Amino acid sequence: MTDKIAITPVTQPITARVRPPGSKSLTNRALICAALAQGESILTGALDSEDTQVMIASLRELGIAVEASDEGRTLRVSGCGGKLPAGEASLFIENSGTSMRFLTALTTLGHGEYRLDGIARMRERPLADLSEALKQLGANIGLSETGCPPVEVHARGLTGGKVRIRGDISSQFLSALMMAAPYAATDVSIEVLGTLVSVPYVEMTRAVMESFGAKLSSDDRSQNVTVRCDSRYVGTKYDIEPDASAASYFFAAAAITKGDITVEGLHRESLQGDVAFCDCLEQIGCRVDYGENSIRVRGGELKGVDVDMNAISDTMQTLAVVALFAEGPTRIRNVAHVRHKETDRIEAVANELRKLNAEVEESEDGLVIQPGDLQPAQIATYNDHRMAMSFSLAGLVQPGIEILEPQCVSKTYPKFFQDLQDLCSQS
């Protein structure tokens, strides 16, 4: 296994068209709904990566049949009608946050004993707020003293009713509650306490649930959600969009090489909130054109910006690298919750930007980046796929950039480096 990869700079602006693989967020949400549905579902355009493979393997351990074809892009799921076939299972989740949160909620619907665990970093990722919320709905869950996995679920179904949960740690907690809620004995009314982070991901969850037949209502900010117990999922054919978070790397490549890149399969009204990364690029100096089924970004003269990236925090690292090529400082704020991701992303980004000769001021909820004259560097990736993919972009311009432990991209985009090379060769 390669322990580093050198990025080859391009000699001219990149002009290309690309279609990223399917959305991880949509694939794992659709898998949960399809698994609980009555009847068979066919998911097309699915992502085949470590995170989705973990989810599929776990569902199979729970007795739910999932058949993959077309190199993993088509999934046939035989739903269990809300009754988990396996009364006992031990699930190893690796470092997949969506899988851990969503499957913890799903297993509470069963009748039996379930254990969920992961790698060392997963044992540092918070789960207590979700656990406490599920207990309010009648679940019996055990966590370690740190409030992190491993998780022991002593399942007897969910009674339903009213539940309160914090919104400032991870929107995945709310999404997990929502997706399990149709199978509670009574309606579930969820009140979100404080500020809800990553609101577009909750809106995505709602859209997927509704595509499978669920009925729910909420206020304008998704702060209070009610899910009906008489509107359960029905097997369906569901098409998954390309991954908008992955697309951010290609949009950014256009920005920093002054190129012209079109991403196919996405549009302004896509379910994934991360298409709003293009708004950041417009502010920083790019031109963005939206088609019916594509988004085109053309690079320009870049100038630093001040942006709130709370809603699109998975693209924070991408913009941080683009900031290296802008005139003047860039401020990224309101992303404190990314400290609880695959790594502490604020600290990790600051460390690696400094290797590239940027001045970085780190705060609790973000960064201020003052670009300097770029220099060669070996970039540590912290077992975080987004560190590897975002910082590889600097190597398109600056010689001598090496990405350490590049295989971490297998979490969401196993063929990223090949696709980046293919993109550059189109010019």
Side-chain angles (χ1 to χ4, degrees), residues 87-392:
E88 182 178 357
S90 181
L91 310 179
F92 190 74
I93 307 298
E94 298 287 352
N95 196 20
S96 174
T98 56
S99 298
M100 178 60 74
R101 280 75 180 257
F102 297 173
L103 288 167
T104 295
L106 180 143
T107 53
T108 64
L109 300 173
H111 286 78
E113 306 295 320
Y114 309 98
R115 188 176 194 273
L116 299 85
D117 201 357
I119 66 171
R121 175 59 181 173
M122 179 57 76
R123 290 186 167 196
E124 299 173 345
R125 299 182 69 175
L127 201 69
D129 289 294
L130 175 59
S131 174
E132 290 304 311
L134 289 166
K135 288 177 182 177
Q136 293 174 51
L137 298 176
N140 184 350
I141 298 176
L143 283 179
S144 68
E145 292 181 357
T146 63
C148 302
V151 187
E152 302 281 352
V153 179
H154 312 286
R156 298 295 183 270
L158 294 179
T159 57
K162 295 183 178 181
V163 56
R164 308 175 84 193
I165 187 169
R166 285 176 58 185
D168 61 340
I169 300 297
S170 173
S171 66
Q172 290 173 7
F173 297 165
L174 177 55
S175 288
L177 287 176
M178 289 167 60
M179 286 190 288
Y183 293 87
T186 61
D187 292 353
V188 173
S189 296
I190 307 168
E191 179 185 355
V192 179
L193 305 177
T195 301
L196 177 62
V197 298
S198 303
V199 171
Y201 283 92
V202 177
E203 295 171 350
M204 180 196 304
T205 301
R206 169 201 285 275
V208 175
M209 290 174 64
E210 290 177 339
S211 293
F212 281 83
K215 295 180 181 178
L216 58 166
S217 59
S218 67
D219 64 17
D220 291 340
R221 298 177 298 128
S222 299
Q223 290 289 112
N224 300 286
V225 182
T226 298
V227 184
R228 288 171 46 180
C229 65
D230 62 351
S231 61
R232 297 180 171 180
Y233 305 130
V234 177
T236 190
K237 184 175 181 180
Y238 188 82
D239 186 40
I240 294 165
E241 295 176 345
D243 195 295
S245 305
S248 75
Y249 309 120
F250 303 122
F251 293 140
I256 67 177
T257 69
K258 293 183 169 56
D260 183 345
I261 295 178
T262 298
V263 172
E264 299 174 341
L266 295 173
H267 50 86
R268 182 181 279 279
E269 303 304 321
S270 290
L271 288 179
Q272 301 165 81
D274 279 358
V275 296
F277 177 73
C278 294
D279 295 338
C280 296
L281 292 182
E282 279 191 310
Q283 292 179 54
I284 211 168
C286 296
R287 177 173 174 179
V288 181
D289 297 305
Y290 295 91
E292 288 187 7
N293 199 37
S294 65
I295 302 176
R296 180 184 183 187
V297 173
R298 284 174 277 183
E301 296 300 320
L302 307 182
K303 294 187 177 181
V305 291
D306 182 335
V307 288
D308 181 334
M309 298 193 75
N310 182 279
I312 55 171
S313 59
D314 275 350
T315 64
M316 178 274 288
Q317 290 138 299
T318 319
L319 189 69
V321 173
V322 174
L324 294 171
F325 301 89
E327 179 184 345
T330 289
R331 182 186 178 199
I332 297 171
R333 53 189 167 81
N334 202 14
V335 291
H337 59 287
V338 303
R339 292 187 181 276
H340 305 290
K341 296 281 190 175
E342 283 81 347
T343 187
D344 180 337
R345 286 180 169 170
I346 292 176
E347 180 180 18
V349 167
N351 290 342
E352 303 314 301
L353 289 176
R354 291 181 183 121
K355 290 182 183 178
L356 293 166
N357 202 34
E359 294 183 13
V360 184
E361 179 183 338
E362 180 182 344
S363 65
E364 180 59 31
D365 79 332
L367 301 161
V368 177
I369 303 160
Q370 178 67 56
D373 294 331
L374 287 179
Q375 62 189 22
Q378 285 192 331
I379 302 297
T381 52
Y382 306 81
N383 199 30
D384 184 345
H385 54 133
R386 300 207 185 283
M387 288 296 295
M389 291 186 281
S390 58
F391 276 86
S392 68

